[in-house]
């Protein structure tokens, strides 16, 4: 049984509130066509997925990424404005987020904004994933400046309905003030061996589950239910669990090596993708 330091209020998802998926970033659509196709499959409870071409938007629009972005955007439109009733299996409603690498606060502000504008202009993204975001109090003012500017850019664009979404990809519990700097925080990113004994910061109980995401690799199929129970108990509304590890991240869905040399465990579908989708259930993003 995991050791959790959560007050009673933090157990707010234990009753079965709807979880959804956040995808940290699949491989390029040419290398992972099945993965990108799954994001737009009817019934997939997708909150958001990250587009990362070359640690950012790349130097020019990529036609394969443009196609993948268009399919996901169309799926969101169908989910939000289609005629299907809410209680039936329907298309996913996930946003596409552009990947911005903050390098723990070392990247210049102007450089990040230039990348953000490229993402908006080329791919019409609906928000941003701020990878390697600072976690300490000293880095908070710069992150607040950046997220305020990004929200303004998204509000001006015609693709980010609702003002867009900003996710801080810290992977651990940061200084509490970061919760007010973005829409969602990734407060765990790591292996199942750490997650099953993880602790949740008590300050997170002041916020609803939609404000937190957990990414866990190396989760055995036999422990899926336990992993989902931990996420609900700790108050995470967005998850991505995979049985892949950092050693076999780019193996094919059936276990074959894709040959790319990629070791990111989140770059491909978990082998139990269909099962975890059925466990989470059909849904639509917030």
């Amino acid at each position: 049984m995991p050791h959790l330091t959560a007050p009673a209020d933090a157990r707010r998802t234990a009753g079965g509130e709807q979880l959804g998926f956040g995808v940290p970033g699949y491989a390029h659509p040419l290398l992972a066509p099945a993965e990108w196709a799954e994001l737009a499959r009817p019934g997939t409870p997708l909150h958001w997925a990250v587009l990362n071409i070359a640690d950012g938007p790349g130097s020019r629009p990529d036609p394969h990424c443009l196609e993948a972005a268009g399919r996901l955007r169309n799926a969101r439109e169908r989910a939000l404005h289609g005629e299907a009733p809410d209680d039936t299996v329907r298309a996913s409603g996930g946003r596409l987020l552009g990947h911005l690498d903050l390098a723990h606060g070392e990247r210049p502000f102007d450089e990040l904004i230039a990348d953000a504008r490229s993402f908006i202009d080329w791919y019409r993204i609906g928000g941003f994933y701020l990878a390697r975001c600072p976690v300490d109090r000293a880095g908070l003012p710069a992150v607040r400046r950046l997220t305020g500017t990004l929200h303004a850019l998204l509000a001006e664009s015609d693709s980010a309905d609702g003002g867009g979404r900003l996710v801080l990809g810290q992977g651990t519990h940061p200084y509490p003030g970061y919760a007010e700097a973005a829409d969602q925080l990734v407060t765990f990113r790591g292996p199942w061996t750490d997650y099953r004994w993880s602790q949740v910061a008590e300050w997170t109980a002041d916020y609803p589950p939609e404000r937190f995401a957990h990414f866990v690799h190396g989760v055995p199929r036999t422990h899926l239910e336990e992993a989902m129970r931990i996420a609900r108990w700790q108050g995470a509304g967005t998850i991505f669990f995979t049985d892949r590890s950092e050693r076999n991240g780019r193996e094919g869905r059936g276990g074959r090596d894709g040959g790319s040399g990629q070791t990111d465990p989140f770059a491909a579908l978990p082998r139990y993708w269909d099962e975890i989708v059925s466990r989470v259930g059909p849904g639509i993003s917030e």
Side-chain angles (χ1 to χ4, degrees):
M1 180 69 183
H3 176 59
L4 307 177
T5 57
D9 289 347
R11 302 170 189 171
R12 54 198 176 276
T13 62
E17 285 187 29
Q18 181 70 46
L19 290 170
F21 297 122
V23 179
Y26 283 147
H28 189 280
L30 272 179
L31 298 174
E35 282 79 354
W36 285 96
E38 283 295 313
L39 296 183
R41 187 176 74 168
T44 302
L46 178 69
H47 289 170
W48 46 264
V50 177
L51 178 64
N52 183 13
I53 293 88
D55 287 329
S59 58
R60 63 181 62 86
D62 182 303
H64 302 286
C65 293
L66 286 170
E67 182 181 357
R71 284 199 303 267
L72 187 58
R73 190 164 53 248
N74 290 338
R76 179 173 173 79
E77 285 297 313
R78 290 194 302 271
L80 294 177
H81 307 299
E83 297 179 357
D86 290 348
D87 59 353
T88 64
V89 175
R90 56 195 302 179
S92 68
R95 298 176 188 268
L96 185 66
L97 307 184
H99 179 282
L100 297 178
D101 184 358
L102 272 60
H104 306 296
E106 296 299 318
R107 285 194 68 196
F109 175 84
D110 291 345
E111 192 175 291
L112 290 165
I113 295 302
D115 278 358
R117 291 185 185 277
S118 295
F119 266 122
I120 292 172
D121 293 344
W122 298 342
Y123 301 106
R124 298 182 61 203
I125 48 85
F128 293 101
Y129 180 85
L130 278 57
R132 297 202 293 170
C133 182
V135 299
D136 58 2
R137 185 173 185 175
L140 181 56
V143 172
R144 280 178 171 163
R145 180 193 178 201
L146 176 62
T147 56
T149 304
L150 293 176
H151 268 307
L153 290 176
L154 290 166
E156 293 171 1
S157 92
D158 61 356
S159 61
D161 53 283
R165 188 164 189 81
L166 300 182
V167 179
L168 304 185
Q170 292 151 325
T172 188
H173 289 96
Y175 175 72
Y178 282 93
E180 302 300 327
D183 301 294
Q184 192 173 56
L185 280 63
V186 179
T187 52
F188 186 93
R189 178 172 179 144
W192 166 244
T193 50
D194 290 343
Y195 188 62
R196 68 183 309 189
W197 305 109
S198 62
Q199 299 179 348
V200 60
E202 292 190 6
W203 62 262
T204 63
D206 295 333
Y207 298 90
E210 66 194 45
R211 302 298 299 278
F212 303 104
H214 292 171
F215 300 150
V216 190
H217 60 78
V219 182
R221 181 190 298 270
T222 53
H223 289 277
L224 262 182
E225 187 60 39
E226 182 184 356
M228 293 175 68
R229 186 165 61 247
I230 293 171
R232 289 190 172 102
W233 188 271
Q234 293 196 12
T238 301
I239 61 170
F240 192 87
F241 297 155
T242 180
D243 54 346
R244 301 184 186 280
S245 69
E246 292 178 340
R247 295 185 301 276
N248 64 7
R250 268 307 302 154
E251 287 180 357
R253 194 174 184 181
R256 294 185 300 274
D257 188 348
S260 69
Q262 173 64 260
T263 60
D264 180 0
F266 302 111
L269 285 171
R271 296 173 185 84
Y272 45 60
W273 173 252
D274 291 338
E275 180 176 344
I276 194 172
V277 168
S278 67
R279 284 175 179 264
V280 172
I284 183 171
S285 74
E286 65 289 333

